[in-house]
Amino acid sequence: MTGIDGPVSLDPSQAQLLCAGYVMQSEVIHSVANRAEPRFVKGRRVLLEVLDDGDSSPQQQLLVPLAVVMSQQLDYVTYALPTQHIKEVAELHDRVNEVTLQYLMYMEHCIANDNILPLARYAAQLPRLHELIGEYGVQLGIAWHLWRPVFAALESELMPTLEAKAAATAAAGDADDDADALASLAADHPAAVKHDGEEGELPEEGEAMQGVEGPGVKVEATANGAALANGDHGAAAVGAGLPVSLADVIESVQQIHPKMFDILRVPLYMVFWSLKPEEIYVPQQEYDQRISEMERMLRTGPGDIKSMQQYIDREQGALDRMTQGHGRMGGRPGDENRIIDNITARQNQLVETKVKLEHAQAVIGPL
């Protein structure tokens, strides 16, 4: 119905291509080759209308709750299924996992590719990350998969935040170093620094000296810049129509496992879980091999099509002569059926070759 199916089996080269994009996957894993066909687009649209009624409140939608229930079934099959057969548990777990991932891919496709599910409406239905994991029992990877389209829209705001914090930290470190240097100078040369509250008084830690653009001024300016950046996050989220901001996501992430972030930085954790397989690894060799195959199709395809058409014409002519001469010239039993089978097989091959050639022209042509 959606054109998103899991392959039954994969060889090692196909497994690596799971890290590729949709176009490359469609080239090698034929079960996902027709996602863009009109009948599949229509199927996704009809299914979305059933699960997501735009006129209803987010609490009455079924799109996200169905994904939550699927995820919960993974743990049920693993830990609570009333059976002692390990093979049965493994098979059921694989089936549930496959259907769950297909459904997650379906939602992502509706948002990013078909553009039939507004991101703001999808985000309004999502429970917060720590609620998905803690209260609903959704596995961590699936929870992040659900949130990935929303975080992708907010991710561009993460780097300015990190840069502002890094600048503030560096400025604060400079202030500490300068204060320590002045204190050391006062200890070594007491006459050089007065301590009576008049001229020459050492500034407080992080405070600028009067009339001098010192570390305190830098800290204040940097802090103001960071605050402005944080303020821009909410404005950007509102401007994009999203009901959440980057600050909301960070706050939710910090509640997943607070002790974990004593040793792990929140931005690193967020960026790691937001990455897709194709953003981590590029199967360059497989890409080159497939491009070479398609270039060869562009070179040999037209000639193959011409040869197959000539073969079909010859066989059709032989069949016509045999039919016209039937009863006068006779013929061996089965010759007619053999020719018809040959024509049918070659016609199917011709259609398949034309489709492959057109597809290769569409994919390789822009390159």
Side-chain angles (χ1 to χ4, degrees):
M1 186 174 185
T2 63
I4 300 175
D5 297 322
V8 177
S9 60
L10 294 175
D11 60 36
S13 63
Q14 289 177 320
Q16 289 193 37
L17 288 169
L18 290 176
C19 295
Y22 287 131
V23 175
M24 188 60 173
Q25 289 185 22
S26 68
E27 295 299 323
V28 182
I29 306 173
H30 299 291
S31 58
V32 295
N34 299 316
R35 292 182 188 176
E37 285 190 6
R39 60 192 178 100
F40 288 122
V41 175
K42 182 179 179 180
R44 287 192 290 271
R45 190 182 300 274
V46 172
L47 181 59
L48 183 63
E49 291 176 354
V50 174
L51 297 173
D52 178 64
D53 184 2
D55 298 330
S56 302
S57 64
Q59 290 76 14
Q60 296 177 329
Q61 307 292 351
L62 297 177
L63 190 68
V64 175
L66 183 56
V68 172
V69 171
M70 289 181 180
S71 177
Q72 292 171 341
Q73 291 301 307
L74 285 172
D75 287 339
Y76 172 78
V77 169
T78 304
Y79 301 111
L81 190 68
T83 182
Q84 297 180 349
H85 299 284
I86 300 298
K87 185 176 181 180
E88 181 181 2
V89 172
E91 290 179 353
L92 285 175
H93 183 276
D94 290 344
R95 292 177 185 175
V96 174
N97 186 61
E98 180 181 346
V99 173
T100 303
L101 291 179
Q102 289 174 20
Y103 185 69
L104 295 176
M105 293 169 63
Y106 157 73
M107 290 192 294
E108 185 178 352
H109 206 80
C110 288
I111 296 171
N113 298 82
D114 293 342
N115 296 318
I116 57 178
L117 176 60
L119 182 59
R121 195 166 79 204
Y122 172 76
Q125 302 179 36
L126 283 175
R128 303 179 72 186
L129 264 168
H130 69 278
E131 294 173 349
L132 277 173
I133 298 168
E135 298 181 17
Y136 294 98
V138 176
Q139 293 183 3
L140 184 63
I142 294 178
W144 268 105
H145 204 138
L146 285 168
W147 268 90
R148 189 170 291 149
V150 180
F151 185 76
L154 300 171
E155 190 175 9
S156 59
E157 304 167 20
L158 182 60
M159 188 55 66
T161 302
L162 297 179
E163 291 174 350
K165 289 183 177 179
T169 302
D174 291 341
D176 294 340
D177 294 341
D178 291 346
D180 292 341
L182 288 172
S184 177
L185 177 63
D188 295 339
H189 306 280
V193 181
K194 296 182 179 181
H195 298 278
D196 55 2
E198 299 177 359
E199 292 183 8
E201 181 178 0
L202 287 174
E204 296 293 334
E205 182 175 346
E207 178 185 348
M209 296 180 65
Q210 294 293 331
V212 179
E213 185 180 358
V217 177
K218 294 180 182 178
V219 172
E220 182 180 358
T222 308
N224 291 337
L228 180 61
N230 288 332
D232 289 342
H233 295 160
V238 173
L242 296 179
V244 295
S245 65
L246 181 62
D248 297 329
V249 179
I250 294 176
E251 180 185 358
S252 181
V253 167
Q254 291 172 333
Q255 299 181 54
I256 293 176
H257 199 308
K259 292 184 178 180
M260 176 174 62
F261 297 110
D262 292 340
I263 57 175
L264 182 65
R265 296 182 61 192
V266 173
L268 175 62
Y269 176 85
M270 293 175 62
V271 170
F272 171 80
W273 278 108
S274 67
L275 292 175
K276 299 178 182 180
E278 58 266 27
E279 295 171 338
I280 300 174
Y281 172 72
V282 178
Q284 186 65 42
Q285 182 177 354
E286 283 72 16
Y287 268 106
D288 294 341
Q289 179 180 352
R290 186 57 183 171
I291 290 175
S292 298
E293 293 174 357
M294 299 183 77
E295 289 176 343
R296 184 166 58 251
M297 169 61 70
L298 292 178
R299 293 193 302 268
T300 62
D304 293 341
I305 291 175
K306 182 178 179 180
S307 298
M308 284 186 281
Q309 187 62 56
Q310 291 175 348
Y311 177 85
I312 292 172
D313 293 341
R314 288 197 304 270
E315 291 293 294
Q316 186 64 51
L319 180 63
D320 293 341
R321 290 192 298 272
M322 185 176 295
T323 302
Q324 293 172 0
H326 188 68
R328 290 186 293 111
M329 296 178 59
R332 290 178 297 179
D335 283 352
E336 214 172 298
N337 292 336
R338 178 185 59 79
I339 294 176
I340 293 175
D341 290 342
N342 289 342
I343 292 176
T344 302
R346 196 56 63 93
Q347 286 175 338
N348 293 336
Q349 186 179 358
L350 176 63
V351 171
E352 182 180 355
T353 303
K354 286 182 178 180
V355 171
K356 289 182 178 180
L357 179 60
E358 292 175 358
H359 184 68
Q361 291 171 341
V363 175
I364 299 297
L367 300 180

